[in-house]
Amino acid sequence: MSMSLLMVLALGVEPNTNELNQFAKENEYNIEYAQNTSLNERSGFLPAKLNGQEAGVEVYSFPVSKLSEPFKTVEPLKFSEGTVYQLRFGVNPIEAQSAFTAAVILTTKYNGVAIDDQSGSLMSAEQLTQALSYFAGM
């Protein structure tokens, strides 16, 4: 079983793992992604180290225009021309931690919006952080 988070970022934002790693270090998220990888060009597994353990998350990107209808009503108008980054993960707690850490970093660093694809609801950075704490405690 896999789950996913949808991160919606404004048009023109092109996250790179070097930027994510710098932000993670500055904000004490103990994660490090594969070096110099553009998330716009990545399709599939993105390796990472979380608390020194092998980890990672599947990353896919596509234009907001390709977002399925139920989600289009949730995403704010200012992102209607943006890019969606889908973070897919399995039931393994370290995969979930990797995905939620990436979601927190993407929403806070790039002022993005997170959508839980199961419920279709927006998730604030605080909700993402709470979920991250939950998975870290497993």
Side-chain angles (χ1 to χ4, degrees):
M1 181 173 147
S2 69
M3 298 168 270
S4 67
L5 294 169
L6 303 172
M7 312 306 304
V8 184
L9 303 183
L11 188 65
V13 173
E14 296 187 12
N16 180 289
T17 56
N18 290 353
E19 296 170 355
L20 301 182
N21 288 339
Q22 183 64 38
F23 187 86
K25 191 174 185 179
E26 290 168 0
N27 292 279
E28 299 180 9
Y29 292 106
N30 202 359
I31 194 162
E32 185 175 350
Y33 300 97
Q35 292 295 308
N36 202 27
T37 302
S38 169
L39 296 192
N40 290 13
E41 298 167 8
R42 188 70 181 198
S43 185
F45 189 72
L46 175 65
K49 285 204 183 275
L50 179 67
N51 299 319
Q53 288 184 286
E54 295 295 322
V57 62
E58 287 183 44
V59 178
Y60 304 95
S61 64
F62 53 91
V64 169
S65 61
K66 297 206 172 161
L67 198 58
S68 62
E69 274 310 312
F71 299 121
K72 285 185 180 180
T73 58
V74 174
E75 144 267 331
L77 197 55
K78 69 178 179 174
F79 294 107
S80 61
E81 297 294 316
T83 303
V84 176
Y85 296 90
Q86 181 181 30
L87 307 175
R88 293 184 64 179
F89 56 98
V91 295
N92 181 328
I94 198 157
E95 287 180 27
Q97 286 178 58
S98 297
F100 277 89
T101 301
V104 169
I105 292 170
L106 289 169
T107 55
T108 52
K109 176 164 180 50
Y110 300 106
N111 197 24
V113 170
I115 303 171
D116 172 10
D117 91 337
Q118 286 187 319
S119 69
S121 58
L122 289 176
M123 291 186 74
S124 67
E126 293 78 24
Q127 289 170 314
L128 292 168
T129 302
Q130 286 174 350
L132 177 58
S133 297
Y134 169 79
F135 289 114
M138 291 181 89

